[in-house]
Amino acid sequence: MAALITLDTYKQMIKAGEAFDIAESFNARVGDEQVPLVVKFLERGKVQQFEDGLVPFMSGFVGNLDDKGKVTAETGEPVSYTGTRSDIVGLGMVKMNLPGTMFPQEGYFYGFLGLETPDHSKRVSTFSVWFHVYNGNPDMFVNREPFRSELQKELDRVEVLIEQTEGTIKAKLIEWEKLITDLINNKNIDLEQLESRMATAEGNLKILEDKIKADGLLTQADLDNALKPISDLMNELNALDEVSIEVDGGTVEPFKTSLSSFKNTINNNSGVARIALLQDIHYQRAPFSGEYGEATTRGLIHIQHFGTLKDVLDLAVYNGDNVHGREAKSNTINRIKQLINTHQLAFDDLPTMWTIGNHDDNNIYFIGEARNENILTLAELENAFEINKTYGYRDFEDKKLRVIVLDSFENPEIIGKDGLPKYTRDYSSVFSANQLTWLSKTLEVPTGYSVIAFTHVPPLGYCNNKPYNDYRNVNHDLMLGLFNAFVEGTSYTASGTNTDYPAQVNVDYSNQGKGNLIGIVTGHEHRDVEPQVINGVRVIERTCNLPVGAGRLIGDISEEAFDVIEINSVNKHCKFNRFGAGNSLEFDY
């Protein structure tokens, strides 16, 4: 096995002027796409922290070595790659998926590998490296379309003979080949059966070829017999009108039938907004007995279940603790990406909003230096979830609805005297001054709009603060004060009391009058709680998507517990339509 490529800014272990030979661990081939190059950067023996927004880069030339053993502009083609923060996988490592433009011709890559800011204003940890770029293989992309290679060989062998049939066979084969390619790229079928039937069709083509070679004759009967298996298969492929995308087994019974029945209960009135609510998924691949066990492995299944309803939904909201966070940093980032990829497969292009929970940054199950190495920063969370900020809003003009997602764990990184984060998300919930200023503007809504907000943890004073009584809630009072001023249509001025996260708000909603607040939807505590109203601000806590708790059984409908939130802004009515364990909830606001 090739060793991990490790580069230290302090001890390069090579003579001045020489380049690192990484050929034993990494090489490429002309035309290769998305080639993973994993490098670990050290700084005086310690893992690189990637401060100042640093990202990996590679630049140099590909071509022949000159008489000094280098590739320059005179002997090679210039290439370059600048990565993103998503290339950083933790523990000092980066994973660059290099594009094909980095390998334009056979020879050697000789150039620089290191870290820089995306705007190229600062460059650090620069190393000279070289590796081989081998000659390309014309058939190297065949495997992207399973079973195509053998068929292509057959097509190549009879190409001349096909031309003799006045294009009839050629047209059929082109149509067949395209259909099969489209099918494999977009649909799931029994590929073993497809392979067998293709072999039969190829055999018929071989018989046809031999007959033509033997006597040069081609009758209509010969042509019909050769093309019949192709025509039969094409007719079946054309009949497949649904794309089936399945992960971890996909949607099976009894869920398929129950979801179909549930779909009929969703209000399809054109004036009603329908929001999918998933929260506290706690997804990870490996179950831990004594905690949540197998329940944590079911997240991708649940996303696919909800995805069967996508054509009647307007929005999906994932309300925190999306992953469990009991793995190494790089693994947790991969779990987030698995969730996002499965969501995109299941929900297509449905608008989606993500909030951050106390588990998502990977902090809970680590202590000491390991916590420093494995916690995701706010920037890393934004990159992993592919969002610009960990809070935001979306308007549905036709439904007169504004949907707000807040980050109740927006803990900008402050390092304590012990070198560890001072406000970790396991027991500290922070709203920053920037988020509060943004919220004060966002609550200035158009006339007649209703507002619903989502944040992972219940605000200070709500739901008896279960299951923990010692949370450190920072600037929650200011956040609630803004919502109260919105509901009452009044002004509000206040300052925070925490000196680490100072904040001040000053708003006046008098001109827009009393606001229509549906409520603030939360999770975190893995239970359904009756809506609670304090100072005009309603908080609605709903249970976890994670299949744990009394009466919930994996494999049974009770495993699920998710809501479709149906909002009618004209009638000022809201319903949390529950699928699975628990009960629906509806109220006027």
Side-chain angles (χ1 to χ4, degrees):
M1 180 185 296
L4 174 68
I5 299 170
T6 302
L7 303 176
D8 194 313
T9 58
Y10 183 60
K11 296 180 179 179
Q12 297 194 23
M13 302 297 290
I14 61 171
K15 297 178 181 179
E18 293 183 358
F20 278 95
D21 176 4
I22 64 172
E24 292 186 2
S25 299
F26 179 81
N27 290 292
R29 190 177 296 279
V30 175
D32 277 354
E33 280 285 352
Q34 297 296 298
V35 181
L37 171 57
V38 180
V39 180
K40 183 171 185 177
F41 287 99
L42 301 178
E43 189 170 1
R44 296 178 179 267
K46 295 183 178 181
V47 296
Q48 171 64 239
Q49 296 300 309
F50 304 108
E51 297 174 345
D52 301 324
L54 294 174
V55 299
F57 80 93
M58 178 181 284
S59 64
F61 299 93
V62 174
N64 299 320
L65 298 174
D66 61 14
D67 54 3
K68 295 182 180 179
K70 299 181 179 181
V71 183
T72 64
E74 287 73 29
T75 62
E77 292 289 333
V79 296
S80 65
Y81 168 85
T82 299
T84 66
R85 295 288 291 181
S86 62
D87 290 349
I88 299 170
V89 297
L91 299 178
M93 293 187 292
V94 301
K95 179 182 178 182
M96 297 175 280
N97 293 315
L98 299 175
T101 53
M102 289 294 295
F103 318 117
Q105 63 182 2
E106 183 180 6
Y108 297 85
F109 170 87
Y110 196 101
F112 300 108
L113 171 62
L115 302 172
E116 66 179 8
T117 54
D119 61 0
H120 314 296
S121 62
K122 178 180 179 182
R123 176 172 288 189
V124 299
S125 305
T126 302
F127 304 90
S128 295
V129 299
W130 72 269
F131 57 83
H132 292 278
V133 178
Y134 292 102
N135 187 30
N137 182 344
D139 294 327
M140 65 188 302
F141 300 118
V142 159
N143 288 334
R144 289 186 176 180
E145 300 169 3
F147 312 117
R148 185 176 184 274
S149 57
E150 293 304 317
L151 174 60
Q152 188 62 54
K153 292 177 183 178
E154 188 68 30
L155 295 178
D156 291 343
R157 288 193 296 125
V158 300
E159 183 67 27
V160 175
L161 301 174
I162 288 173
E163 292 294 336
Q164 299 175 13
T165 66
E166 297 181 351
T168 303
I169 295 178
K170 185 175 182 180
K172 285 287 185 181
L173 289 175
I174 291 174
E175 182 182 0
W176 181 41
E177 183 182 351
K178 181 180 184 302
L179 192 59
I180 292 174
T181 300
D182 290 344
L183 172 76
I184 292 171
N185 287 338
N186 298 298
K187 304 174 187 279
N188 281 344
I189 66 168
D190 188 334
L191 293 182
E192 290 185 3
Q193 183 185 43
L194 175 62
E195 183 179 21
S196 175
R197 297 180 67 180
M198 287 176 62
T200 299
E202 291 169 7
N204 286 345
L205 287 174
K206 182 64 169 61
I207 293 172
L208 178 63
E209 177 192 2
D210 292 342
K211 182 174 179 61
I212 293 173
K213 286 181 177 179
D215 54 26
L217 299 177
L218 180 66
T219 66
Q220 185 63 47
D222 293 330
L223 181 61
D224 290 342
N225 289 335
L227 295 181
K228 186 177 186 305
I230 299 174
S231 298
D232 291 344
L233 185 57
M234 285 175 61
N235 290 335
E236 290 188 29
L237 299 184
N238 284 326
L240 295 174
D241 57 359
E242 292 187 1
V243 176
S244 175
I245 301 171
E246 297 184 350
V247 179
D248 288 353
T251 304
V252 298
E253 297 297 356
F255 300 99
K256 184 176 292 187
T257 299
S258 297
L259 285 163
S260 179
S261 298
F262 174 74
K263 189 174 184 178
N264 294 327
T265 72
I266 299 173
N267 191 329
N268 61 6
N269 186 295
S270 61
V272 172
R274 292 163 289 270
I275 303 172
L277 173 62
L278 296 97
Q279 58 187 17
D280 293 281
I281 297 173
H282 286 264
Y283 172 60
Q284 68 181 22
R285 295 304 290 180
F288 284 84
S289 60
E291 195 179 79
Y292 295 135
E294 184 186 352
T296 58
T297 69
R298 301 288 289 174
L300 303 186
I301 293 289
H302 294 170
I303 290 174
Q304 292 170 95
H305 289 173
F306 219 151
T308 63
L309 310 175
K310 63 179 180 293
D311 57 328
V312 298
L313 299 173
D314 297 296
L315 176 71
V317 174
Y318 288 77
N319 198 21
D321 280 359
N322 306 289
V323 294
H324 192 49
R326 193 169 185 165
E327 302 179 81
K329 182 176 183 177
S330 58
N331 281 353
T332 294
I333 291 174
N334 287 336
R335 298 294 165 252
I336 294 172
K337 292 186 179 300
Q338 282 181 292
L339 282 180
I340 292 174
N341 291 340
T342 301
H343 168 79
Q344 291 172 343
L345 289 171
F347 285 83
D348 294 329
D349 57 354
L350 186 76
T352 303
M353 305 177 80
W354 300 83
T355 75
I356 302 302
N358 54 305
H359 278 254
D360 289 316
D361 76 339
N362 214 44
N363 82 90
I364 288 182
Y365 298 103
F366 295 93
I367 60 176
E369 182 63 27
R371 172 172 275 191
N372 271 352
E373 294 178 353
N374 285 286
I375 287 181
L376 279 72
T377 65
L378 276 178
E380 289 170 330
L381 285 167
E382 290 166 353
N383 284 332
F385 283 101
E386 300 178 8
I387 52 181
N388 292 327
K389 280 190 178 69
T390 51
Y391 50 89
Y393 79 92
R394 178 180 288 270
D395 283 345
F396 293 89
E397 296 181 7
D398 56 331
K399 313 293 174 62
K400 290 188 177 299
L401 177 68
R402 175 163 292 182
V403 180
I404 298 173
V405 293
L406 300 174
D407 184 0
S408 48
F409 292 98
E410 192 215 3
N411 303 11
E413 287 73 21
I414 295 178
I415 303 301
K417 294 180 180 179
D418 57 0
L420 299 176
K422 187 174 181 179
Y423 293 84
T424 53
R425 294 179 178 89
D426 51 354
Y427 283 93
S428 301
S429 172
V430 175
F431 290 94
S432 73
N434 287 339
Q435 184 175 184
L436 293 170
T437 298
W438 171 88
L439 177 60
S440 68
K441 299 295 183 183
T442 303
L443 288 174
E444 297 174 356
V445 300
T447 302
Y449 266 51
S450 295
V451 170
I452 186 170
F454 296 84
T455 193
H456 180 69
V457 70
L460 175 67
Y462 287 84
C463 305
N464 298 319
N465 290 323
K466 293 180 181 291
Y468 312 112
N469 295 318
D470 52 355
Y471 252 88
R472 181 161 42 180
N473 296 303
V474 179
N475 295 331
H476 277 227
D477 53 340
L478 300 185
M479 181 272 291
L480 291 170
L482 289 173
F483 276 105
N484 172 253
F486 168 76
V487 170
E488 300 296 337
T490 59
S491 60
Y492 175 63
T493 300
S495 298
T497 58
N498 185 287
T499 56
D500 288 320
Y501 296 109
Q504 187 172 16
V505 294
N506 183 5
V507 297
D508 188 351
Y509 299 125
S510 302
N511 289 335
Q512 71 181 30
K514 291 187 175 184
N516 299 314
L517 177 65
I518 300 164
I520 302 173
V521 182
T522 73
H524 182 62
E525 297 178 354
H526 299 187
R527 60 183 184 143
D528 288 323
V529 178
E530 284 297 312
Q532 186 176 2
V533 180
I534 301 176
N535 294 328
V537 179
R538 179 185 291 106
V539 169
I540 307 154
E541 181 177 317
R542 302 297 279 172
T543 195
C544 52
N545 194 232
L546 179 76
V548 296
R552 296 184 68 174
L553 179 65
I554 292 177
D556 182 76
I557 300 303
S558 61
E559 170 182 345
E560 288 285 12
F562 62 69
D563 293 313
V564 174
I565 307 173
E566 303 167 10
I567 300 169
N568 188 322
S569 292
V570 175
N571 296 334
K572 306 294 186 295
H573 186 78
C574 176
K575 178 179 180 180
F576 284 71
N577 194 351
R578 171 63 58 83
F579 177 81
N583 298 308
S584 297
L585 166 72
E586 55 185 317
F587 55 87
D588 293 323
Y589 60 89

